[in-house]
Amino acid sequence: MENQSTYDARNALAAIDDARSHAADRLVTPWWYHPVLGLLAAVFVVAYTIGGPVAMISVAVVYFLGLGVLMGAYKEKTGVWINGLKAGKASWWTVPLVLIMILCAGGAYYFHAEKGIDWPAWVAGAIVFVAVNFFGRRFDAALRAQLRSRP
């Protein structure tokens, strides 16, 4: 009887491992996802730094609609949506991205508001674009590796 229980437990664990591996295989982000997300974030940073009220409202609407479309496209392709801040160890790739975005936006805003210069906003936007692509891809790889590993 005990041998049967051990056999059943091993089969159950193997089935769980297979399901996790299958889920990791499905979580492949389309090649265009991070560039589009990076562009949305970069435009958001630039517009909020140097744009007037109309530009800020317009870009906010486009930004959040764009995020919704990206989330929907990802969920349709993979069957799930995973919050970048609630993804276990993979979330460690989200934290520096958020910090970079905050520092870039804050620094660019300072130069615009206090010094009257706009070029730092464009530099901040470029940095944010690159950071979203870099950290987003690392997040994806870490998430897939996390799903494939045994807890």
Side-chain angles (χ1 to χ4, degrees), residues 23 26-27 71 74-82:
R26 288 182 42 198
L27 292 178
M71 289 168 62
Y74 186 87
K75 188 172 181 178
E76 179 148 335
K77 183 181 184 317
T78 64
V80 295
W81 172 254
I82 297 171

Side-chain angles (χ1 to χ4, degrees), residues 97-141:
L97 173 60
V98 171
L99 290 175
I100 288 169
M101 290 176 71
I102 291 169
L103 289 173
C104 282
Y109 183 79
Y110 167 79
F111 281 106
H112 174 73
E114 296 296 323
K115 306 290 184 187
I117 54 177
D118 293 342
W119 66 263
W122 296 100
V123 172
I127 291 170
V128 165
F129 177 81
V130 170
V132 166
N133 282 275
F134 178 82
F135 288 103
R137 294 186 195 287
R138 298 314 176 278
F139 171 85
D140 287 350

Side-chain angles (χ1 to χ4, degrees), residues 11-45:
N11 283 343
L13 288 173
I16 290 170
D17 285 344
D18 287 345
R20 290 170 61 96
S21 181
H22 180 67
D25 292 340
R26 288 182 42 198
L27 292 178
V28 177
T29 305
W31 68 267
W32 47 264
Y33 183 90
H34 291 105
V36 171
L37 181 58
L39 184 61
L40 286 170
V43 170
F44 186 82
V45 167

